[in-house]
Structures are given as structure tokens and as C-alpha cells.
Amino acid sequence: MIVKILENYMELSKIAASMVAGEIKRNDKLVLGLATGSTPEGMYAELIRKFKAGEVDFTDVTTFNLDEYASLAPDHPQSYHFFMNKHLFDHINIKPENINIPDGCSSDLDHECYEYDLRIEEAGGIGLQILGIGTNGHIGFNEPAEMLCVHTHLVDLSDETIKVNSRFFESFDQVPRKAVTMGMGTIMHAEKIVLLASGKSKAAAIRQTVSGGLTTAFPASLLQLHKNVTVLLDREAASLI
Ligand code: F6R
């Protein structure tokens, strides 16, 4: 695990975007795994800037998002489909057919999950996976549990995640209780992983991720087993390591 401590969120976002752009330069057919949430917003803004400056070209890039709320339609303002269009896809030259986000509204979610992993496999696997981290150690929506799932699956969101994510909804009751997420195996099979964390609220989770014991009760700790993980932190997120 390589840990890089950056001065602030802006630096972190710039370095993360440079890593993505560098990877696309090395391989213009990159299969890129993406995250939503507050943390990668700055990275996406920087990628848009780089695209507009002619520094990165998404023509042949394929993306797979980590997760989507169950039951939120793609045009729901809090859906991850909506987030990705707003923060990245609407502003770059990625081909719509190369964008993959789980369909949380599928009438057959088991099949959707199975199909999603199949699509990742057919694309050749994920080359670079971007991750955020929950304060409870979740990555994607792999929540702390006695057992974790390997493949993409439907998950019950933890009370902590529902509470934390309620900041995006008008009321607590509106937060979906379930989501479709890539499994731990899907994530761990990515060739490279870049985990982003910013702010004091993530400091304890980061300490456990980089130096805690491995446990399914803290899914991000399993990243210590991966051979190519870079953790990008701002000073606050790094304050307990
Ligand atoms: C989102 C995702 C989640 C978030 C995590 C942190 O696609 O997979 O694991 O990365 O909840 O969210 P923020 O960045 O909002 O703190």
C-alpha cells in the first residue's frame, strides 16, 4: 500500500485526476472503475478541466461505477446515475455505450448483479478502480458484516451509512435502505486501486485501513491484501496515522 499525504483537498483532487489521466495515456482503452460521493467531486472537476484543455481523451475509455441505490430511477437527483452525468459524463467525450452503472430499478436485481460482473469480465476486468471510504470502513457499499460477498450483489445499507447519506436527501425517510454494489472480489480483482479520503471524519477509518487488522467488520482493511493500492489523503484524513 502506498500512502500519499497531500496538503489539502484540492491537491488530492489534482493528483487523483493526474493518476487517472496518466493511466488513460498509457492505455487509451482503460476500464475505469468509478465512485460517487463527495470525495471524488474535485477529481471529476479536474478531469473535466483536463479534458477541455485537451490533456485527456475518453473516446475509448469504458467505465464501471461501484454502486447504485436500489429503487432510485436514473433521473432521480440523488441517484448515482444522475450524479455521474452531472459531475463527469455530461462534460467529457465518453461514449454513452461505454458507461456502466448498476441498474437499481431492474425488476430482476439478481440477474442485473450477475450481468454486471459478466460485463466487467467481458471488458477485460477493471484496470484502475477509484474508491472512497465510509466512516464505517465500507468500500463501494460493502458494509461491515460477518461475511462479505465476492460478486456484485444487493445489500442492506447499514444504519450508519443511511444516516451519513441522509445529508443528500430532504429527509431521513427518503434515503434508500438497499443498494446494488460491486462485491469485494470484483473490487479486489482490479489491477490498480486508488483510494481517496479527505477530512477529519475519515481519519479513524484511514488508520484502520492502512494499519488495522484484517477483518470483514472493516471491509477497507482487506485492501492491505491487494498488490497495487495507492491511498491519497489530505492532512486531516491522515491525522491519525
Ligand atoms: C460511492 C461509494 C461509497 C463512498 C463512501 C464515501 O460510490 O462507493 O463507498 O465512496 O460512502 O462517500 P463520501 O465521499 O461522500 O464521503
Side-chain angles (χ1 to χ4, degrees), residues 34-41 44 65-68 80 83-84 129-143 161 164-165 167-168 181 187 195-198 201-202:
L34 295 174
T36 53
S38 306
T39 315
E41 281 185 23
Y44 291 141
N65 265 77
L66 281 166
D67 40 25
E68 176 59 288
Y80 289 164
F83 175 101
M84 288 309 302
Q129 176 66 55
I130 303 295
L131 295 178
I133 182 170
T135 49
N136 64 356
H138 74 210
I139 49 177
F141 275 137
N142 293 281
E143 300 281 31
T161 299
V164 170
N165 287 5
R167 72 191 190 278
F168 297 114
T181 181
I187 293 171
L195 172 72
L196 312 178
S198 162
S201 66
K202 298 291 171 74

Side-chain angles (χ1 to χ4, degrees), residues 78-153:
Q78 300 312 332
S79 76
Y80 289 164
H81 280 77
F82 192 94
F83 175 101
M84 288 309 302
N85 290 335
K86 178 174 166 196
H87 291 285
L88 185 66
F89 299 145
D90 283 351
H91 312 281
I92 60 172
N93 66 339
I94 191 162
K95 291 179 185 141
E97 64 269 29
N98 288 354
I99 295 171
N100 297 277
I101 305 177
D103 175 6
C105 287
S106 167
S107 55
D108 186 348
L109 282 173
D110 283 346
H111 183 72
E112 170 62 18
C113 293
Y114 170 76
E115 247 265 311
Y116 200 65
D117 279 333
L118 209 61
R119 267 190 276 161
I120 293 174
E121 212 178 293
E122 280 168 6
I126 290 172
L128 172 63
Q129 176 66 55
I130 303 295
L131 295 178
I133 182 170
T135 49
N136 64 356
H138 74 210
I139 49 177
F141 275 137
N142 293 281
E143 300 281 31
E146 240 173 74
M147 280 187 290
L148 297 174
C149 290
V150 172
H151 300 293
T152 299
H153 60 287

